[in-house]
Amino acid sequence: MCGIVGYSGKRSAADFLINGLKKLEYRGYDSAGIAVNCGGKIVTVKAEGRMENLERKLAQAALPEAFCGIGHTRWATHGEPSDINSHPHSAGRVTLVHNGIIENYAKRKQHLEEKGRVFVSQTDTEVIAQLLDYYYADNPVEAIQKTLTKLRGSYALAILFSDRPDTIYAVRKDSPLVIGKGKDEICIASDIPAFLSVTKDYYLLEEGEIAIVRNGDVRFLDEWGNETVKQLNTATWNFEEAEKCGYKHFMLKEMHEEPKSLKNTIYPRIADGIDHILEKELASTESIRRLYIVGCGSAMHAGLLGKSAIESLAHIPCSVEIASEFRYGTPLFADGDAVVLISQSGETADSLAVLKLAREKGVPVIAIVNVVGSSIARGADIVLYTNAGPEIAVATTKAYTAQVAVLYMMALRLGIDRKTVSRERAEQIFEALKQLPEKAEEVLANETEYQRMATTYRNSHDLFFIGRGQDWAICCEGSLKLKEISYMHSEAYAAGELKHGTISLIEEGVPVIAISTTAALREKTISNLKEVLARGAHVIYECPASAVPEQKFYHDIIVLPDIDESVMPILAIIPLQMIAYYTAVDRGSDVDKPRNLAKSVTVE
Ligand code: M6R
């Protein structure tokens, strides 16, 4: 969480920093601040709350013209959101911004206070500034190296020293940091969209390296302080992809991008025919006997769908794990085990910890990741990119459906390799994968219907989702989406579990969305649906066109285009994303930046 930026070049640093921070606001929006380095004179402006507050303050502050500076958008961890706790933080000659958490800050703070240092904020970050100033004699690199040895935790830092005019020092550990390289200008950021308006070329900063940015140029030192030459990468994302392009919210734009994103995810992998699906990326999988599918939030929900596809097509036992639980559990890894790690950002702290755990135990990791060059992508043995393009809204939509699509292709590849799926069945699924983008367009064409349903149920106190098998997995995701952005209470239940407790919550008028994409389970789901109907629930039934019942036992219906049911969950989630979106809009919540959340969860 938290986003950091830095700039050195020929344009106004403040303008770049503000624009960059706006692109990173999805990482946290409790406060924002910038500091410019104007020939050694460092001026800091920061404000609690959204970027508008900072912009208002900046309009009043007579900021000197500066071409070098750093900025921060905060998701509060240590210390409430306030002006004082906002970044940048300063101590003596040092001013810096930080993304991450310093776990031993209390001990370090006490130590420094005993030496007479006075702290002004409650943040862990201020400890870094104080330590740097404490160790700084006349060599910034030495001070940084010494300071880092005293810190435990995660950090991406951009640092200014008041006696080093127009220079920024950047380092990282367990938090992302990329360095954009334009013509005579250098941008520092937690994520590429922050500088896509300037350049698509970037360096990935490795742990232990120090970047020294000055006068629009950058030098890198390795962990021993030697100059190093780094590879320049080029982002495949476009500037427009990280813009709203006329949509009211990023989430709405990103849902409308689902057909395109599915195409980008699926088509390059199926282009050479069924026998070559994922062939280049997923070679030599014969030794796999068991898969641990791990992720957080929606990524974990995608994993639930992956499990049912892989088990049914490839007959490989899978367990789906919540990363934050798995990392502290006792995984009984054995020969033939592999971890499938799913993450949009590729930076989620708990998922990253699972990657490290697997590596320590010698278990191979297959990562399904959206952000190219992210920590998880770099650390995994095999990376299957989702190709969904930048996703800015906190609530994931297109990245989630792309993750599921990758898992389906993986299931098919594994099934074909193991001969556990018949040729005929494999061809049916292959065809269905091909049709997905077009069918997703059809689903989106009913947007006004989803909007109407959202308006109908907008004032409900609770909303339940029920389904069986893969439909339960869709329920989990639909429910998360709704509560995450509209703040309406919602739960997802395996339809057969209702009568073991939850059904007592059903009373007159409570909306229940019942999902039925699986023919074999349909009658059972309908029985459960009738049970809630009999207790006064308002039922919204979701099923494919060919399964619309003759008898109208529901209050509302979401009709999905027909497609092979093995891939139908990808279509089934889109109306639920839309309903969540319009419910949030109707209830007046901040759709793209829901309260208390951040998109990239880089803390435990
Ligand atoms: O970047 P990741 O995919 O690792 O993020 C995992 C979760 O934090 C994420 O899916 C979260 O649940 C979403 N905000 C849900 O919309």
Side-chain angles (χ1 to χ4, degrees), residues 166-425:
D166 308 316
T167 311
I168 309 170
Y169 296 81
V171 284
R172 67 174 280 268
K173 177 180 166 279
D174 292 339
S175 291
L177 202 61
V178 278
I179 315 273
K181 181 174 171 42
K183 190 173 173 336
D184 302 325
E185 52 189 342
I186 296 292
C187 316
I188 299 170
S190 301
D191 199 358
I192 292 169
F195 54 69
L196 275 179
S197 61
V198 173
T199 180
K200 289 171 86 170
D201 295 333
Y202 66 95
Y203 299 102
L204 291 166
L205 192 66
E206 300 297 337
E207 299 199 355
E209 288 179 338
I210 300 180
I212 305 173
V213 174
R214 182 152 200 263
N215 293 339
D217 205 357
V218 61
R219 293 188 299 127
F220 296 97
L221 305 183
D222 65 18
E223 55 187 305
W224 298 280
N226 303 315
E227 292 247 357
T228 164
V229 179
K230 289 182 67 68
Q231 184 199 321
L232 193 61
N233 307 287
T234 302
T236 49
W237 293 354
N238 293 319
F239 173 58
E240 304 76 50
E241 284 182 306
E243 296 291 309
K244 276 193 206 150
C245 298
Y247 283 96
K248 193 166 173 214
H249 296 102
F250 277 111
M251 182 177 174
L252 186 60
K253 175 182 174 242
E254 287 158 8
M255 289 186 289
H256 278 278
E257 285 172 344
E258 286 184 271
K260 181 176 148 211
S261 137
L262 287 168
K263 208 178 245 175
N264 292 341
T265 307
I266 298 169
Y267 281 23
R269 271 114 178 192
I270 63 170
D272 295 334
I274 187 165
D275 294 318
H276 304 284
I277 188 167
L278 274 187
E279 184 186 50
K280 289 187 200 107
E281 296 157 281
L282 202 60
S284 53
T285 56
E286 311 79 44
S287 59
I288 297 178
R289 297 278 166 272
R290 180 191 171 86
L291 289 172
Y292 290 91
I293 306 180
V294 191
C296 302
S298 297
M300 188 273 289
H301 293 159
L304 294 172
L305 289 169
K307 170 185 161 79
S308 79
I310 294 169
E311 289 185 341
S312 73
L313 295 178
H315 300 183
I316 298 174
C318 300
S319 67
V320 179
E321 308 283 347
I322 297 171
S324 55
E325 291 294 313
F326 189 69
R327 64 181 290 191
Y328 294 117
T330 317
L332 303 172
F333 289 125
D335 276 357
D337 285 354
V339 168
V340 176
L341 200 52
I342 309 172
S343 175
Q344 186 285 131
S345 62
E347 299 293 347
T348 301
D350 288 315
S351 305
L352 206 46
V354 171
L355 176 95
K356 287 185 177 161
L357 176 75
R359 297 221 69 105
E360 272 163 32
K361 306 268 180 197
V363 177
V365 176
I366 303 166
I368 299 176
V369 176
N370 195 39
V371 178
V372 176
S374 54
S375 302
I376 293 178
R378 283 192 276 165
D381 298 279
I382 295 174
V383 188
L384 305 175
Y385 281 114
T386 40
N387 302 345
E391 192 181 66
I392 312 289
V394 164
T396 180
T397 52
K398 63 174 181 171
Y400 165 82
T401 43
Q403 287 163 352
V404 179
V406 170
L407 286 159
Y408 286 167
M409 288 187 283
M410 190 172 159
L412 194 51
R413 168 81 270 145
L414 294 168
I416 292 170
D417 285 349
R418 285 171 164 64
K419 303 192 176 35
T420 44
V421 58
S422 70
R423 186 72 189 178
E424 190 191 355
R425 186 73 192 110

